[in-house]
Amino acid sequence: DDVVNACITAMESPTASGKIYNVARGEKTKVKDILNGLIHAFGLSDYPITYGDGTPGDQFGVVADIRRIKEDLHWMPEVDLQTGLNKMAIFEKGRQNVEE
């Protein structure tokens, strides 16, 4: 929802022409957070995850800089990570039912 909203906002704004924007929450997100969120969204409470040692250069969370889109377009993210993952899971479950 946030990506669609940001795209529409940019298309409707003359100040966005020719600019590149990061569309994100602007909050640190770890792979572990995404995996746990997906497990919850798909109702897989006992899904096994094996954690291994890190390797040189591993990222331990990424934060997108969304200052430009906030300043230029007054756009703010509205969907938190878990809500977005839940909606994605609902969509995917529905798509799988159609294919069966």
Side-chain angles (χ1 to χ4, degrees):
D1 294 338
D2 280 344
V3 173
V4 171
N5 182 294
C7 289
I8 291 170
T9 301
M11 287 188 293
E12 293 175 345
S13 173
T15 61
S17 181
K19 293 185 180 175
I20 298 172
Y21 296 102
N22 287 328
V23 178
R25 295 261 335 134
E27 299 172 352
K28 185 175 185 176
T29 304
K30 299 177 182 179
V31 171
K32 180 180 177 180
D33 299 334
I34 296 170
L35 289 173
N36 288 334
L38 287 170
I39 288 168
H40 176 76
F42 282 97
L44 305 171
S45 59
D46 61 345
Y47 193 85
I49 296 178
T50 303
Y51 295 94
D53 294 332
T55 57
D58 279 353
Q59 296 292 316
F60 296 98
V62 177
V63 181
D65 184 353
I66 62 171
R67 286 178 292 185
R68 178 184 254 182
I69 195 168
K70 287 168 63 175
E71 292 170 3
D72 288 1
L73 306 181
H74 307 288
W75 178 87
M76 291 291 294
E78 297 177 3
V79 180
D80 64 85
L81 178 63
Q82 190 60 56
T83 300
L85 293 174
N86 290 345
K87 290 179 87 169
M88 183 189 74
I90 290 167
F91 173 81
E92 183 58 28
K93 289 175 186 177
R95 192 175 71 81
Q96 287 176 355
N97 290 336
V98 169
E99 291 175 358
E100 292 176 354

